Amino acid sequence: MQRRSFLQSSAALGLLGLAGCATTSVPARAQVVVIGGGYGGATAAKYVRLLSDHKVNVVLIEPNEAFVSCPMSNLVIGGSRQLAEITTPYSGLARNHGVQVVRDLATSLDTQRKVVTLARGASIGYDKLIVSPGVDLQLGAIEGLAAASASGQVLQAWKAGPETVALRRQLESMPDGGVYAITIPVQPYRCPPGPYERACQVAWYFKNAKPRSKVLVLDANQDVTSKGALFKKVWAEQYSSILEYRPQHAVQAVDARNGVIKFEVHDDVKANVLNVLPPMRAGTIAQQAGLANVANNRWCGVDYQTFTSTAARDVHVIGDSIQIAPGMPKSGHMANAHGKVAAAAVVAQLAGWPVNPAPMLTNTCYSYVDNRNVVHVASVHEYVAAEKTFKTVAGSGGLSPAPNETEGVYAWNWAQNIWADSLG
């Protein structure tokens, strides 16, 4: 814990720059409200408290009792981990940092009056608002999917939790010789390599428990969107008799009763377990508040230096819901980085300090190709003031040369560290 505190203190100085050496001008009565306790929102709530020397009051609005990590959740589907292992309570934010955690759902925003209204009727005012609503799954974009999802027949499990366990149970109940089909929407979507990792996890489970079964990867994109060469090599070497990849398969409709997926230009596919991922957009509260103002109102536009919304004053939007900069993935690690930059900007603006002119972001994304072997992609992103956007630093990061068990150890340690960083 002492080492973690040192790292957090060091991060505070780095995020705020020299201005952060003095905190006496931070207004003690200022209130920051954070909507959403995922990788972005939880991190932002914690770091506003850290960077303001615990002078700014922070209220985190989150309906769930505990945080369940989307990264690593495919291991639950594959059977090598349990949901409890990827679950972290929000109590650490309150106990260790004085964040007021309100277990409720934000249902509306009045950005003129600076008020958030909650599902149970309460209203909370703010000086600064950080919105981290994640993604909304557009179930209505695929005929029949909304009803099939509501009935539990066709699952997404793209927000880790009960559906993750339910999808695992569907796989366990499937007969040996059955078919699991996962569909992938046109990018951008949350976690670019996530569907391909999930296909590997299911294939690994079938290889060990149901070797006559099949995995169909039905991708609306022209090719694998992340770590393509690495995934394809694993599929060819480890799962050639189990897994089949089909690109340019855009889903048109779902017939849950008969277990059929229909496509725009390809033949129907019949499967025992249908895992249909629809197109995604910024989370519901961002849509309702008018913060989703770019890309046909699908994503939220922001000033990348501070993650301030381009649609409302004193509102910052972070995480998967924003219109991403070039090369910027919608990932948990990236949302964590957004949260820190936004927190630093909020504290600086409240204190009247200059905002960091050159924030940096990092990203690492690990993918398990079985229960132990892992590949990764990593990158560093710098804010380019002249172009008002983030760009990938040339030569930073890169891809694994091949899967290996050492990276599996790194991956699980990464998860432990980022959960502690966001929620500890």
Side-chain angles (χ1 to χ4, degrees):
M1 290 299 296
Q2 290 178 340
R3 179 176 180 271
R4 188 177 303 152
S5 298
F6 170 76
L7 292 173
Q8 290 169 351
S9 299
S10 301
L13 292 175
L15 287 167
L16 287 173
L18 293 177
C21 293
T23 58
T24 54
S25 59
V26 176
R29 295 181 181 271
Q31 176 149 290
V32 173
V33 172
V34 180
I35 296 176
Y39 278 101
T43 301
K46 173 179 173 176
Y47 274 83
V48 168
R49 291 287 289 169
L50 283 173
L51 296 170
S52 68
D53 197 22
H54 295 87
K55 291 185 177 181
V56 173
N57 186 45
V58 176
V59 179
L60 174 65
I61 302 169
E62 168 55 51
N64 295 310
E65 184 176 2
F67 168 79
V68 185
S69 177
C70 285
M72 304 296 160
S73 65
N74 282 333
L75 299 182
V76 177
I77 293 170
S80 62
R81 294 284 180 178
Q82 299 297 314
L83 198 70
E85 295 179 87
I86 63 169
T87 301
T88 306
Y90 287 105
S91 56
L93 291 176
R95 181 180 62 253
N96 299 329
H97 304 288
V99 174
Q100 182 183 351
V101 181
V102 176
R103 192 177 172 191
D104 206 338
L105 181 69
T107 55
S108 68
L109 304 180
D110 186 333
T111 58
Q112 297 299 314
R113 294 175 53 238
K114 294 189 173 182
V115 171
V116 181
T117 301
L118 308 182
R120 296 175 185 172
S123 296
I124 301 177
Y126 64 84
D127 295 292
K128 291 282 189 179
L129 176 67
I130 300 175
V131 183
S132 186
V135 295
D136 183 25
L137 304 180
Q138 296 182 272
L139 300 174
I142 298 174
E143 182 183 339
L145 182 57
S149 180
S151 69
Q153 292 174 283
V154 179
L155 301 174
Q156 288 72 53
W158 216 239
K159 298 180 181 181
E163 276 201 8
T164 308
V165 177
L167 181 56
R168 171 64 185 179
R169 288 174 179 161
Q170 285 189 348
L171 294 170
E172 290 174 333
S173 300
M174 194 189 87
D176 190 8
V179 176
Y180 161 81
I182 181 170
T183 74
I184 304 169
V186 172
Q187 61 177 335
Y189 57 85
R190 165 181 278 178
C191 189
Y196 312 110
E197 179 193 52
R198 180 172 295 181
C200 289
Q201 286 300 302
V202 176
W204 174 78
Y205 168 60
F206 286 171
K207 185 176 181 178
N208 289 278
K210 301 184 179 186
R212 295 189 297 114
S213 299
K214 302 293 182 184
V215 173
L216 289 180
V217 183
L218 306 166
D219 195 344
N221 298 282
Q222 292 186 352
D223 204 349
V224 177
T225 60
S226 179
K227 309 173 190 169
L230 289 168
F231 279 121
K232 287 180 177 180
K233 191 171 188 292
V234 168
W235 296 341
E237 293 179 352
Q238 296 187 38
Y239 307 123
S240 60
S241 64
I242 296 174
L243 188 149
E244 180 182 345
Y245 174 73
R246 300 180 187 177
Q248 297 181 297
H249 272 63
V251 180
Q252 184 178 50
V254 170
D255 178 355
R257 176 177 294 182
N258 296 302
V260 172
I261 306 172
K262 301 179 180 181
F263 300 91
E264 294 177 1
V265 295
H266 296 281
D267 293 338
D268 296 351
V269 168
K270 187 174 179 60
N272 300 81
V273 175
L274 278 59
N275 186 192
V276 179
L277 305 180
M280 302 173 197
R281 65 181 184 183
T284 301
I285 189 66
Q287 297 284 333
Q288 294 175 345
L291 302 178
N293 60 345
V294 296
N296 295 320
N297 297 329
R298 185 179 175 189
W299 305 110
C300 301
V302 296
D303 169 1
Y304 289 113
Q305 185 183 3
T306 61
F307 291 93
T308 304
S309 168
T310 56
R313 294 180 64 252
D314 294 317
V315 177
H316 301 251
V317 187
I318 58 176
D320 294 339
S321 63
I322 73 165
Q323 173 76 351
I324 52 177
M328 178 187 289
K330 293 183 182 294
S331 72
H333 193 130
M334 184 57 72
N336 170 270
H338 290 178
K340 293 173 182 176
V341 172
V346 163
V347 172
Q349 290 170 350
L350 288 172
W353 301 330
V355 172
N356 184 353
M360 302 282 287
L361 306 171
T362 61
N363 182 68
T364 303
C365 180
Y366 293 98
S367 297
Y368 282 78
V369 300
D370 54 33
N371 65 324
R372 294 179 181 275
N373 289 279
V374 166
V375 294
H376 84 271
V377 61
S379 55
V380 178
H381 305 254
E382 62 180 345
Y383 179 72
V384 181
E387 301 180 49
K388 297 183 178 180
T389 191
F390 278 96
K391 287 195 168 183
T392 305
V393 176
S396 67
L399 288 164
S400 305
N404 64 81
E405 290 192 16
T406 300
E407 286 211 40
V409 175
Y410 294 162
W412 190 248
N413 287 339
W414 167 87
Q416 302 294 315
N417 287 330
I418 199 168
W419 297 336
D421 183 48
S422 299
L423 297 143

